[in-house]
Amino acid sequence: MDSTVPEKRHAEDETSEEIRLPQKRYFRQRAHANVFSDHHLDYPISPAHMDWSKNYPMHFAPKDGEGDENSVTQDSGKKVEFADIGCGYGGLLVALSTVFPDKLMLGMEIRVKVEEYVNQKILALRKKHPGSYDNASILRMNAMKFLPNFFEKHQLSKLFFLFPDPHFKKRKHKARIITPTLLSEYAYVLRPGGIIYTISDVKELHLWMVKHLDAHPLFVRIPDEELVGDLAVEHVRNATEEGQKVERNKGDKYLACYRRITDDE
Amino acid sequence: TGSIVSSTVALEEGRESGDLQAQPLTNSPDPQEENKAIISVLAISRDGAFLATAADDKIMKLWDMDSWKCLGSRTLERRSNGLDFNKDSSYIVTADKFGDVYNLPRVTEDVVEPQSSEKADEADELYSKDLILGHVSMVTDVTLTEDNKFVITSDRDEHIRVSRYPKGHIIETYCLGHTSFVTTIRLLPGTSQKYLISGAGDATIRVWEFLKGQQVQVFDIRETLGMPPVEDDAEEDVTVHSIAISATNQIVVVLERMNKMLILNWNETETKVELVKVLELDGYALGADFDHSGKLWVSIVPEDDADEGSEPVKQTRLVAVYDQEFNLCEDLAKYVNVFGSKTVQEIPELFQIEGLRKHTTDWRELKKAREEREALRAAEGPDAVPNKKRKRSSRRMPEQLEQPDSETA
């Protein structure tokens, strides 16, 4: 199954790299992407094999001992806690980085150029505001397949799915980012008490996500009243490019948040 | 239980080899019951009462092992890659090529059709209630633990996943370590019931303490066979086809398209598998298993037959039986070796596992690189281009792709 994790949506297929490219290059790029897409992604054999020092140089000492004078010599002991699946241009990460300065957060994005953009942005922000934004980073990867390679069991406390690709066609529904089988993998990396945030401006997709999250035994809906104090919610609605676009077009945003309960409840 | 090869033949009983005359088959199934497609997987229930077979036409059949009658059949959602029974044979677990795993009540009625997709859309029921878990990758094998508390599944993306059974949505842990598609997983016998053995396309056998997701041993097959380490950009590697385990902790490892098999011993006190013997065959093994007396049955295809487009060959051994000292017992399989079982029009594709390998480089680039290497070797001698040993501890991250030579030996 070669599904990718796009943020921008379209009526056709998954790889949304092409939406920014002129028609002619779309076809060349597309053929290339279909053959190699998830195979050119590097991923560690297991979470223990992962060298996070390239993403969070202030929190992880380089595994192979090759650092520069700016590297830390010891791990800070922190692990990634927030993951933004299909983070696009990184709006949420940038916003949450200062709201939760002591939490490590990671965006996952499969599109090369978009991931490069976010990477440059974070590096620039770190330079501009020394001491800030060290806790945010981005990784190019296929979150549908390889989450367990990066994250240990119950490692994460927040998982974000902002304006996912709706995959409008019925036969593509199973490629959606929220499905009964994938939810079990999300439950594996998310700790009991952890929260999944979903938002979409496509009502049908929102209803689909709600239906499957409701049906999954390990997730329980958080009623809107309980979300009032949640510091992330406001940014989930407004911090991303997609969210702002929906705002400009006066669209509706459908939010649904779920708590991951314990295995034996 | 004898070894069975995927084939188009009708099932038949094992026979005593007394005087050898061609005998008519007495227990051919009725034409309606007969398998018409290639059987790709089978499983036998714990009590030996039932045999389940799943074929390329997506039909799963249940057979009574005494009468060999077909007790029922069921059309699966997709072709199965793995089958297993639960303890009391009330359920059969099937893992399919899409990555979904279903817990199906044992069929006693006749054909049960899956919902057609149009009907499913109307009811908006895309997901069957029998679906207990799914990988986002092709599942290659499935096994239930002895106590039926867990279901273990392996996939093409090197994952081995341990989930609760039947609540497969609760993932207990992953056993991560293989660097290529996992082909087979088996529980190791013993008092502790804590260990799992796996084989993959990365030329290793690994032993795991599976509830902890911990790798306790890596058995290097290439080293055992005296082969050099595989080259970094190699398109192929030694691949484990299947593993079978005897009642006395002997393990046979069938290697895909090779004329050698490994016999290992599971040493539970030291929690490791040890080499007993490398068994040489006069052909490629298609499957192997131990019977109750500890004899090893191996089905073989002659090397010539295995290659496409060749002429059908002189008579050779189809089934080889070895005793506990791994000497050939000619008698037991004599009948089938002389008379064969059933003739088929064409031999199906026998060696398909290499198709699971993922390739990260364009084949044209690889071919070019290989040709350049060969030319260099031919011109300057074999040491001109040393083999690069593949780094097994991790996969390269994107930034390191820019300097490919820095970490290779």
Side-chain angles (χ1 to χ4, degrees):
Chain A
M1 221 172 94
D2 264 351
S3 283
T4 57
V5 189
E7 189 195 22
K8 299 228 178 283
R9 64 195 143 99
H10 25 245
E12 273 296 330
D13 210 341
E14 310 99 315
T15 49
S16 40
E17 219 164 327
E18 309 77 64
I19 212 171
R20 309 225 132 218
L21 304 174
Q23 278 302 98
K24 190 169 164 194
R25 285 176 69 188
Y26 169 94
F27 289 105
R28 274 198 270 129
Q29 186 82 18
R30 187 167 191 261
H32 191 79
N34 268 338
V35 172
F36 297 120
S37 61
D38 69 338
H39 300 163
H40 254 173
L41 294 167
D42 285 320
Y43 48 92
I45 287 175
S46 77
H49 288 89
M50 178 65 182
D51 185 354
W52 291 104
S53 66
K54 298 205 164 34
N55 296 88
Y56 306 99
M58 292 295 105
H59 289 275
F60 294 91
K63 261 192 151 78
D64 48 13
E66 280 175 28
D68 52 29
E69 65 277 4
N70 293 323
S71 303
V72 297
T73 46
Q74 237 188 340
D75 292 355
S76 69
K78 289 194 203 286
K79 293 186 179 168
V80 173
E81 268 193 53
F82 300 172
D84 184 355
I85 310 248
C87 65
Y89 291 88
L92 183 71
L93 283 174
V94 170
L96 291 184
S97 173
T98 47
V99 176
F100 298 92
D102 58 337
K103 301 279 187 206
L104 298 186
M105 52 195 75
L106 186 71
M108 272 144 288
E109 176 55 55
I110 206 159
R111 291 171 291 171
V112 175
K113 286 191 162 44
V114 177
E115 186 257 341
E116 274 172 17
Y117 167 86
V118 180
N119 211 15
Q120 302 295 338
K121 188 165 171 188
I122 290 178
L123 292 175
L125 284 170
R126 285 177 183 172
K127 272 217 184 82
K128 206 169 169 195
H129 307 274
S132 293
Y133 302 102
D134 292 319
N135 59 337
S137 187
I138 185 165
L139 208 52
R140 198 173 152 255
M141 73 143 177
N142 183 333
M144 285 171 94
K145 282 190 183 234
F146 299 116
L147 280 183
N149 291 68
F150 289 92
F151 303 123
E152 295 164 6
K153 184 174 184 178
H154 297 338
Q155 179 177 325
L156 305 177
S157 58
K158 291 192 197 297
L159 207 47
F160 296 95
F161 297 92
L162 270 48
F163 303 98
D165 187 326
H167 289 295
F168 288 111
K169 290 188 179 169
K170 274 222 157 81
R171 62 178 171 84
K172 303 290 299 181
H173 284 356
K174 286 191 178 182
R176 287 175 164 172
I177 197 82
I178 301 280
T179 62
T181 47
L182 265 176
L183 281 174
S184 304
E185 294 209 19
Y186 302 149
Y188 171 77
V189 295
L190 195 58
R191 65 182 69 153
I195 303 176
I196 276 194
Y197 299 79
T198 73
I199 189 169
S200 177
D201 58 322
V202 177
K203 185 153 195 190
E204 192 265 317
L205 177 66
H206 162 75
L207 292 174
W208 163 283
M209 293 196 285
V210 164
K211 174 177 162 172
H212 290 298
L213 277 159
D214 279 344
H216 198 283
L218 295 176
F219 292 102
V220 152
R221 180 88 183 254
I222 303 177
D224 290 341
E225 313 87 68
E226 273 183 46
L227 285 173
V228 168
D230 189 307
L231 295 174
V233 168
E234 168 207 337
H235 301 285
V236 164
R237 281 193 218 273
N238 299 316
T240 61
E241 226 203 41
E242 192 68 34
Q244 285 156 15
K245 197 202 312 182
V246 172
E247 193 81 29
R248 280 198 300 277
N249 298 337
K250 307 224 188 316
D252 294 313
K253 296 179 194 173
Y254 303 99
L255 178 78
C257 301
Y258 284 77
R259 191 178 308 281
R260 198 266 197 228
I261 58 178
T262 64
D263 291 341
D264 301 309
E265 267 178 55
Chain B
T1 69
S3 62
I4 319 253
V5 64
S6 58
S7 71
T8 54
V9 299
L11 293 173
E12 65 178 36
E13 264 178 7
R15 290 168 179 279
E16 297 295 339
S17 54
D19 51 290
L20 281 184
Q21 284 166 10
Q23 317 255 346
L25 296 176
T26 54
N27 61 343
S28 282
D30 294 331
Q32 304 96 285
E33 294 180 351
E34 197 178 314
N35 274 301
K36 295 194 168 49
I38 298 172
I39 298 173
S40 48
V41 274
L42 0 118
I44 294 181
S45 62
R46 297 288 186 274
D47 57 7
F50 302 106
L51 169 73
T53 62
D56 276 1
D57 56 0
K58 299 197 276 191
I59 297 180
M60 180 175 78
K61 288 181 197 265
L62 191 70
W63 305 84
D64 180 311
M65 299 246 299
D66 277 323
S67 63
W68 297 112
K69 269 197 69 58
C70 178
L71 297 172
S73 62
R74 181 178 186 135
T75 306
L76 301 172
E77 196 68 42
R78 279 172 223 94
R79 284 188 276 177
S80 172
N81 262 355
L83 291 176
D84 203 4
F85 280 86
N86 68 346
K87 265 193 301 205
D88 62 4
S89 312
S90 52
Y91 282 89
I92 300 173
V93 173
T94 166
D96 72 24
K97 304 204 162 198
F98 188 64
D100 289 339
V101 178
Y102 297 87
N103 194 32
L104 303 171
R106 177 164 53 85
V107 174
T108 47
E109 306 299 315
D110 272 310
V111 184
V112 175
E113 298 290 344
Q115 269 186 320
S116 68
S117 42
E118 298 88 45
K119 263 177 67 183
D121 284 349
E122 279 165 26
D124 208 14
E125 284 310 323
L126 273 185
Y127 300 99
S128 150
K129 59 171 174 50
D130 298 323
L131 176 68
I132 55 168
L133 67 94
H135 286 231
V136 183
S137 179
M138 176 190 291
V139 172
T140 51
D141 203 357
V142 63
T143 187
L144 292 175
T145 55
E146 273 307 293
D147 57 12
N148 282 184
K149 286 203 177 131
F150 299 96
V151 53
I152 310 181
T153 41
S154 57
D155 74 20
R156 195 183 168 198
D157 285 307
E158 312 96 39
H159 297 128
I160 294 172
R161 170 174 151 176
V162 182
S163 320
R164 295 216 193 146
Y165 178 77
K167 293 188 180 173
H169 58 268
I170 302 176
I171 302 176
E172 197 62 33
T173 188
Y174 283 86
C175 296
L176 302 176
H178 276 298
T179 55
S180 193
F181 56 103
V182 182
T183 52
T184 184
I185 46 176
R186 285 282 175 274
L187 288 155
L188 284 164
T191 44
S192 64
Q193 292 297 314
K194 286 198 302 188
Y195 300 98
L196 180 79
I197 188 170
S198 62
D202 61 1
T204 66
I205 299 270
R206 294 178 198 241
V207 179
W208 312 83
E209 196 177 329
F210 60 87
L211 278 182
K212 291 187 183 168
Q214 206 175 3
Q215 181 178 285
V216 300
Q217 183 190 10
V218 182
F219 184 93
D220 189 328
I221 298 176
R222 292 184 79 96
E223 205 182 299
T224 304
L225 295 178
M227 296 166 76
V230 68
E231 292 177 4
D232 232 9
D233 55 2
E235 285 290 278
E236 286 188 354
D237 200 355
V238 174
T239 299
V240 175
H241 170 274
S242 57
I243 290 176
I245 307 176
S246 77
T248 53
N249 290 4
Q250 300 275 72
I251 301 170
V252 61
V253 181
V254 175
L255 301 172
E256 176 82 347
R257 219 190 176 115
M258 284 190 86
N259 55 11
K260 296 185 175 58
M261 277 187 339
L262 300 178
I263 309 292
L264 309 173
N265 179 59
W266 163 236
N267 185 333
E268 192 177 1
T269 31
E270 295 185 41
T271 59
K272 59 179 184 172
V273 291
E274 299 156 331
L275 179 72
V276 169
K277 193 181 170 85
V278 175
L279 203 53
E280 307 258 351
L281 309 164
D282 55 358
Y284 299 138
L286 290 175
D289 205 349
F290 293 94
D291 66 20
H292 289 304
S293 67
K295 293 198 188 53
L296 176 66
W297 294 64
V298 185
S299 52
I300 301 182
V301 60
E303 281 175 62
D304 302 327
D305 267 1
D307 301 318
E308 277 178 39
S310 55
E311 295 297 311
V313 177
K314 72 271 179 207
Q315 281 210 335
T316 52
R317 208 177 283 120
L318 287 179
V319 177
V321 185
Y322 297 88
D323 64 20
Q324 284 86 335
E325 279 84 52
F326 303 103
N327 300 314
L328 270 175
C329 309
E330 295 286 355
D331 285 347
L332 282 172
K334 209 168 186 178
Y335 185 88
V336 96
N337 284 332
V338 172
F339 293 105
S341 47
K342 192 169 180 176
T343 315
V344 295
Q345 297 287 33
E346 56 174 287
I347 297 187
E349 185 58 54
L350 293 169
F351 302 105
Q352 303 195 36
I353 286 192
E354 262 305 311
L356 295 182
R357 193 175 297 280
K358 298 188 289 195
H359 297 286
T360 55
T361 322
D362 186 49
W363 65 269
R364 284 164 288 236
E365 287 173 34
L366 276 180
K367 188 171 171 207
K368 191 161 152 238
R370 191 169 298 124
E371 281 163 5
E372 280 169 9
R373 254 205 326 271
E374 295 303 312
L376 202 58
R377 276 211 194 96
E380 297 177 28
D383 296 325
V385 185
N387 281 333
K388 291 194 240 177
K389 186 171 161 79
R390 182 196 280 167
K391 194 161 178 230
R392 287 183 189 280
S393 62
S394 67
R395 290 184 172 253
R396 287 182 264 174
M397 299 310 289
E399 299 86 272
Q400 293 172 22
L401 278 172
E402 265 62 63
Q403 60 273 352
D405 293 321
S406 61
E407 61 266 299
T408 53

